[in-house]
Amino acid sequence: MTETTQAVEWSALQKPELIPGYTAMKQADPGFSLQHMEDRTSVIFWRLIKSWFDNDPAPSRKMLLPEFYDSLGKTIRNSRQKDSWAYFRGAAVGAVEVQSIAPGEQGGMDRIEVLVKWSARNARRDGSGRSRGAGDKAIRPQLYVLVRRHGIRSPAE
């Protein structure tokens, strides 16, 4: 199994070549896998949710570029009010789908854009674990941009 998707969000992409940049990426990296990129993005997503839940960016550190990690830490700190902080209650992922791929020039960076369709309620949590103020559940599509050095070869297996 490579991915779990809610039935209402599921669609089988019969021709991955329709994703902009896919063919060029497969030529540059024959082991490149859409499923691996989507799974990696899911891990990043859940680490970010944990960071908000814990009021600490640390769970996301190894998955983020330093400048985004620093920005996340500041945003999380700014959500504090007295002894509570904002988090996403009941987060659920509907789908994770690669939208486009931009293989970088020699020495550049490859960019993979991945859409995460998810939902959650805005809530506040305190140090004792109590939650309050859960708002309405909202759909929250987000575009994640994964980057890697151009020229990297993925293991085919």
Side-chain angles (χ1 to χ4, degrees):
M1 182 164 66
T2 61
E3 179 178 348
T4 303
T5 301
Q6 292 182 11
V8 297
E9 297 290 346
W10 187 82
S11 67
L13 183 62
Q14 298 297 323
K15 296 184 179 185
E17 309 80 44
L18 296 176
I19 296 171
Y22 176 79
T23 302
M25 180 62 86
K26 282 298 272 188
Q27 289 170 348
D29 177 6
F32 179 79
S33 164
L34 291 174
Q35 290 81 14
H36 180 74
M37 292 299 105
E38 292 169 352
D39 289 348
R40 171 71 53 118
T41 304
S42 292
V43 170
I44 294 167
F45 170 82
W46 286 112
R47 286 183 181 228
L48 287 167
I49 292 298
K50 178 147 177 55
S51 290
W52 280 99
F53 186 80
D54 292 348
N55 192 45
D56 180 0
S60 302
R61 179 183 298 275
K62 81 179 217 179
M63 306 301 286
L64 306 177
L65 293 171
E67 57 271 19
F68 188 78
Y69 178 78
D70 293 342
S71 174
L72 175 66
K74 182 178 180 182
T75 302
I76 287 173
R77 283 190 301 278
N78 287 339
S79 82
R80 286 195 71 84
Q81 292 178 353
K82 297 183 182 176
D83 68 336
S84 70
W85 58 88
Y87 84 105
F88 301 104
R89 185 175 183 176
V93 173
V96 180
E97 303 167 336
V98 172
Q99 300 295 296
S100 68
I101 303 163
E105 298 296 319
Q106 195 63 10
M109 300 293 276
D110 297 333
R111 294 172 47 94
I112 299 103
E113 294 184 348
V114 185
L115 178 64
V116 177
K117 298 175 187 175
W118 66 288
S119 62
R121 301 176 190 284
N122 290 341
R124 299 200 65 77
R125 184 170 187 265
D126 64 27
S128 68
R130 287 182 302 218
S131 293
R132 68 178 199 279
D136 292 336
K137 194 167 212 173
I139 306 290
R140 304 165 189 267
Q142 289 181 313
L143 192 65
Y144 286 61
V145 179
L146 282 61
V147 296
R148 68 177 192 176
R149 284 187 303 280
H150 184 69
I152 289 178
R153 297 255 177 175
S154 304
E157 64 278 350

